[in-house]
Amino acid sequence: NIKQINPNKVINIKTQDATKTKWLPNTYDVAVSNLPWNKQISVSHITELYSKAIKEYARILKQDASIAFIGYKPDLMKKYLKKEFPQEGREIHTMKIGYLGQSPTIVFCTINKTNKV
C-alpha cells in the first residue's frame, strides 16, 4: 500500500519477527508494525509480545525516530513505549480507526534519544 501513495519514490520495506530482528542497532528512522491482534494469528501472551517487540524497536531505531503500531491494546503499547523510551523528547499519540469491520487503534510515538532524562 505504501508504494501506491508515492509510486515514484524508492521505498525500502523489510519484514522480520518484531521481537528479535537481525538488523543492526540505530539503523532505522521509522518503524511501522501491525502486531497480531489475536484475530488472524493466535497470541498466547500479548503482554510479552508487546514488551519484546518495543524493546527490539528501541534497539534498531536511530537517535531521532518515529514508530507506529496498530493493535487493540493501546494502553499496553503506551506502557512499554514509555518504559523503553523514557526520554523527555518522546511524544505518544493514539488514533482509533475502523478497518474491515474491526476497530483497532494506531499508537504513534516520536522519539528523541539524544534528550534522555
Side-chain angles (χ1 to χ4, degrees):
N1 289 339
I2 206 163
K3 288 184 179 183
Q4 292 175 359
I5 295 169
N6 190 346
N8 298 322
K9 185 173 182 176
V10 177
I11 300 172
N12 189 3
I13 299 172
K14 298 180 181 185
T15 58
Q16 287 191 29
D17 178 342
T19 63
K20 188 173 183 183
T21 69
K22 297 174 185 173
W23 298 324
L24 296 173
N26 303 309
T27 302
Y28 295 97
D29 298 308
V30 176
V32 177
S33 188
N34 182 2
L35 295 172
W37 309 349
N38 208 27
K39 301 288 183 190
Q40 297 90 351
I41 299 172
S42 179
V43 177
S44 57
H45 301 291
I46 196 80
T47 302
E48 183 179 342
L49 172 65
Y50 284 4
S51 172
K52 287 182 176 181
I54 292 171
K55 186 173 190 158
E56 181 64 4
Y57 283 114
R59 186 185 72 78
I60 65 172
L61 287 172
K62 290 182 180 178
Q63 295 297 316
D64 297 312
S66 298
I67 188 168
F69 289 99
I70 185 170
Y72 275 100
K73 305 273 185 184
D75 291 335
L76 192 57
M77 286 184 234
K78 290 190 304 188
K79 172 185 173 181
Y80 288 108
L81 284 166
K82 289 175 183 176
K83 177 181 177 186
E84 295 300 329
F85 302 102
Q87 53 273 30
E88 212 172 288
R90 177 200 68 230
E91 291 184 31
I92 300 174
H93 303 279
T94 61
M95 181 174 66
K96 194 146 183 95
I97 62 170
Y99 181 72
L100 298 176
Q102 300 178 47
S103 300
T105 299
I106 299 175
V107 179
F108 301 96
C109 182
T110 56
I111 303 143
N112 182 346
K113 292 183 182 178
T114 56
N115 290 332
K116 287 195 175 188
V117 174

